[in-house]
Structures are given as C-alpha cells and as structure tokens.
Amino acid sequence: MRKLYVIGIGAGDPDQVTVQAVKAMRQVEVFFVIGKGEAKQELLDVRTAILTEHMDRPYRIVEIPDPPRDRAPADYQGVVEDWHDRRSALLAAAFEEVAGVGGILVWGDPSLYDSTLRMLERVLARGADFDYEVIPGVTSVQALAARHRMVLHRIGEPVHITTGRRLREEGLGSSAVVMLDGDCSFTEVPGTDIHIWWAAYLGMPDEVLIEGPLREVEQRIVAVRARLRADKGWIMDVYHLRRD
C-alpha cells in the first residue's frame, strides 16, 4: 500500500460528509473496516451507505475483526494500550495484502476520541512504509450542538470535552460535553441547577433528542437509552451538561 486516507465521515448522515472527504474517498481502492460483530452490523451498513452515496468507482471493503477487551478493567490504560497493539497488528497484516491506495472511514473526526491515528503510528513503527493523509469530519459534538440549536459555551468560557469515566472521577465544573458514557454518569452529578442536552444516533434515521433540567429528565434518558440499546444491540450517544 503506497498511501492511506483516514477520512472523517461525520456522525452518520451521508450529507455530513464533506466535499474534501468525497474527493479523498474517490481516490481509494480498498477501504479497511474494523468489524464489531453481528450486533453492530448496522455500523458497517452505515459506512456502506455512505460509500454507495458518494463513490464513483469500483472499490473493495476489507473487514478486520475487532480484538476483544475488558470493558471495565482495573488498569484502564494498560488494557487499552494492549488493545491498540493487537489492533495495529491486524491492520499491519491487512495493509500488506493491498497494493495501491487504502482508506479508513472514521466516525466523526479522527482527532476526537478515536484511536485510528495512534494505531497507524504503531503500524509504521513495525516497519510499514506508506504515506497517509487525514481528512477532518463533522463530530458528534458539533452535530449535538446543531440539532439542539445551541452554543456550547457562554461568552468567554472554554469548551470542556470529557468522558463519562472522567466526569465521575472529577465532577462537573461550569459545563462539559460528555462522550463514551455507558454508565449514565450524569445521574451521579450533584446539584439541582444543571441542564442537559442529550442525543443518540445523531445523523441517523432513528436519532433521539432529549433536553431539559437534569433532575427532571435524567431517569427518562436512562430508560430511553436502555431500551434503544436493547433494541439495536449498540448505542452511540453524547450530551452536554451546563450549570445555570
């Protein structure tokens, strides 16, 4: 493989794919996808729909099985490092089988809570020799703000983006956008002066939005989230918390 495009494709809506991303995709001969199993087949289907919408040339999809990992480890950093190493080994083996131009489609943007670029550095450290280019995409954070018609910060304030695990450990300051929260950590944030803007499956046909004072809507979000995850077998959600 002589070149790889790492392409941000937005939160799921084919219309969120930028013109730059479409031009990059049309250079690609082989797309590499890390599969998530039958329960998450829809994630692959969405990528396929995006390619069907925008590609104007023949291409192949190479699916790579995602190595299993402990989702609630005592040593979070160590487990993730090992997982990335095993993923990068699988990518390196797949890249060796391809001559020409490859591509990886990344949910949202490759810079935000995604490990593709870290794994590529590991692949290159193993001795692989190829060039790669990163194409930015619309993040779920941007899509969340757009769908709720909101600004993420008050005048002069910073934007804080964190994870559910860090929210539980560090608490909430003035405001935060929270990603990767499988435990509904917002229920553990104390206070009656907090507002939440929550969304699941942003950009997809079954997108769900809930907004309101946290103490009034938190149990509704918990119940809706549990039902959606049970129905589909997976969920991707994000939310913004702000103190009044």
Side-chain angles (χ1 to χ4, degrees):
M1 188 176 67
R2 66 179 183 270
K3 183 161 185 175
L4 179 75
Y5 286 98
V6 182
I7 305 169
I9 57 171
D13 185 345
D15 288 344
Q16 290 179 352
V17 179
T18 67
V19 174
Q20 184 186 24
V22 171
K23 289 180 178 178
M25 288 192 305
R26 290 177 177 176
Q27 304 301 311
V28 173
E29 297 159 287
V30 179
F31 290 94
F32 301 96
V33 176
I34 296 181
K36 299 287 188 177
E38 291 185 8
K40 297 182 178 179
Q41 176 64 31
E42 189 175 2
L43 295 174
L44 177 58
D45 294 341
V46 172
R47 286 184 171 92
T48 302
I50 287 173
L51 291 173
T52 300
E53 177 85 13
H54 296 296
M55 288 295 286
D56 64 351
R57 57 174 293 172
Y59 61 90
R60 289 195 297 124
I61 295 178
V62 173
E63 188 172 355
I64 302 167
D66 193 17
R69 71 177 176 95
D70 185 356
R71 293 290 172 173
D75 178 16
Y76 179 82
Q77 188 73 27
V79 167
V80 172
E81 288 283 345
D82 175 69
W83 180 49
H84 287 176
D85 196 54
R86 288 182 288 134
R87 268 185 160 193
S88 65
L90 292 173
L91 285 172
F95 291 168
E96 288 180 0
E97 301 298 318
V98 171
V101 180
I104 297 178
L105 304 181
V106 175
W107 287 108
D109 183 87
S111 70
L112 186 61
Y113 288 109
D114 183 84
S115 297
T116 301
L117 298 182
R118 294 189 184 99
M119 287 185 290
L120 290 185
E121 290 299 322
R122 290 174 184 249
V123 172
L124 292 169
R126 292 173 180 269
D129 182 20
F130 59 87
D131 184 25
Y132 70 95
E133 184 174 342
V134 179
I135 309 298
V138 175
T139 69
S140 62
V141 176
Q142 295 165 283
L144 174 75
R147 293 297 290 126
H148 280 291
R149 300 180 297 182
M150 64 176 296
V151 179
L152 292 175
H153 60 89
R154 296 185 181 96
I155 295 174
E157 286 188 352
V159 176
H160 181 56
I161 303 174
T162 188
T163 65
R165 181 173 62 88
R166 297 296 292 268
L167 179 67
R168 292 193 304 275
E169 293 174 354
E170 301 171 0
L172 175 68
S174 173
S175 67
V177 177
V178 184
M179 306 177 70
L180 305 176
D181 184 10
D183 298 315
C184 295
S185 301
F186 51 83
T187 61
E188 301 180 29
V189 178
T192 58
D193 61 340
I194 303 169
H195 206 90
I196 187 169
W197 295 262
W198 178 86
Y201 311 119
L202 278 162
M204 299 183 187
D206 41 8
E207 174 185 280
V208 180
L209 305 174
I210 298 176
E211 172 263 329
L214 178 60
R215 300 284 83 97
E216 294 181 14
V217 301
E218 60 184 339
Q219 291 308 313
R220 178 184 167 203
I221 294 173
V222 170
V224 168
R225 189 184 191 282
R227 174 177 57 80
L228 293 172
R229 192 180 192 287
D231 289 347
K232 295 175 72 68
W234 62 276
I235 191 167
M236 289 196 297
D237 60 336
V238 60
Y239 58 89
H240 179 61
L241 295 176
R242 178 185 296 166
R243 294 194 184 277
D244 294 336

